[in-house]
Amino acid sequence: MRVTGYWRNISFLYRLAGWKCTHCGAFHHHYKPVICRRCRSREFTQVELPGSGRLRAYTVIRSPPKEFERYAPYSIGLIELEDGTKILSQLTDFKEDELRDGIRVEAVFRRVRVNGEQGIIEYGYKFRPVLSRS
Ligand code: ZN
C-alpha cells in the first residue's frame, strides 16, 4: 500500500464501515469496490456496521502472510453482527478457552500491522469477547 492511498482511505480504517451492494446486499470491507464480487453490480451504498455481534466460527493462524508473521499465532473469527452482516476479523483479548461458537463479541480499536517500508502503523478494528462476568 502506498502512502497516498493510505491517507486517502484513512476514514475507512478508523471506522467500522464499508459498502453494501444495492442489488444483492453483499458487504465489501473498507474500500468502495468497482464491481460486486457476487452479482457484478456497480452500485453501492456506504454503511456503518454495528460494533457487536456473535462469533460464528474461528480459526488459529499459525503460518500467516509475511507482514503478519510477528503476530503469529493469531485468531481470525467469522462474526455475525447485530444487523446480520458477516465479517472476518482478527480476535484479541481472549483466553483460548473463552472462544466458543455463539459467544458475544465487540469491536475494539487496535493496531493491525506495521507497514514495513514506510513505517506506517495501520489501525483498525479487532473483536474481543464481551465480558459478562462480574
Ligand atoms: Zn451484488
Side-chain angles (χ1 to χ4, degrees):
M1 183 184 286
R2 292 200 313 268
V3 176
T4 49
Y6 175 79
W7 289 108
R8 192 169 49 234
N9 293 307
I10 197 161
S11 65
F12 295 98
L13 296 172
Y14 278 86
R15 285 162 41 208
L16 196 58
W19 298 85
K20 217 165 215 171
C21 172
T22 338
H23 291 261
C24 76
F27 179 72
H28 303 258
H29 229 346
H30 294 314
Y31 308 115
K32 188 177 184 180
V34 175
I35 194 163
C36 176
R37 63 176 126 69
R38 195 195 285 166
C39 75
R40 326 277 311 157
S41 160
R42 291 171 181 271
E43 287 168 47
F44 301 92
T45 320
Q46 192 174 3
V47 289
E48 293 236 14
L49 298 172
S52 62
R54 288 186 188 276
L55 187 63
R56 290 304 176 203
Y58 60 90
T59 186
V60 178
I61 310 288
R62 296 184 197 279
S63 310
K66 197 162 172 247
E67 68 265 34
F68 290 103
E69 262 170 10
R70 77 174 77 183
Y71 306 111
Y74 58 87
S75 296
I76 298 287
L78 174 66
I79 293 143
E80 185 176 353
L81 299 174
E82 273 154 18
D83 67 353
T85 304
K86 292 194 175 97
I87 63 167
L88 284 170
S89 173
Q90 195 171 336
L91 302 172
T92 189
D93 299 349
F94 62 87
K95 298 192 206 85
E96 234 168 281
D97 62 2
E98 289 180 314
L99 292 187
R100 239 167 267 115
D101 290 354
I103 61 166
R104 291 191 55 77
V105 290
E106 63 187 358
V108 286
F109 192 58
R110 286 297 151 81
R111 191 169 74 180
V112 175
R113 63 174 180 171
V114 176
N115 185 331
E117 284 191 12
Q118 291 105 6
I120 291 172
I121 298 168
E122 295 177 24
Y123 288 86
Y125 282 96
K126 296 182 183 181
F127 279 77
R128 69 177 179 201
V130 175
L131 303 175
S132 52
R133 292 146 292 173
S134 52

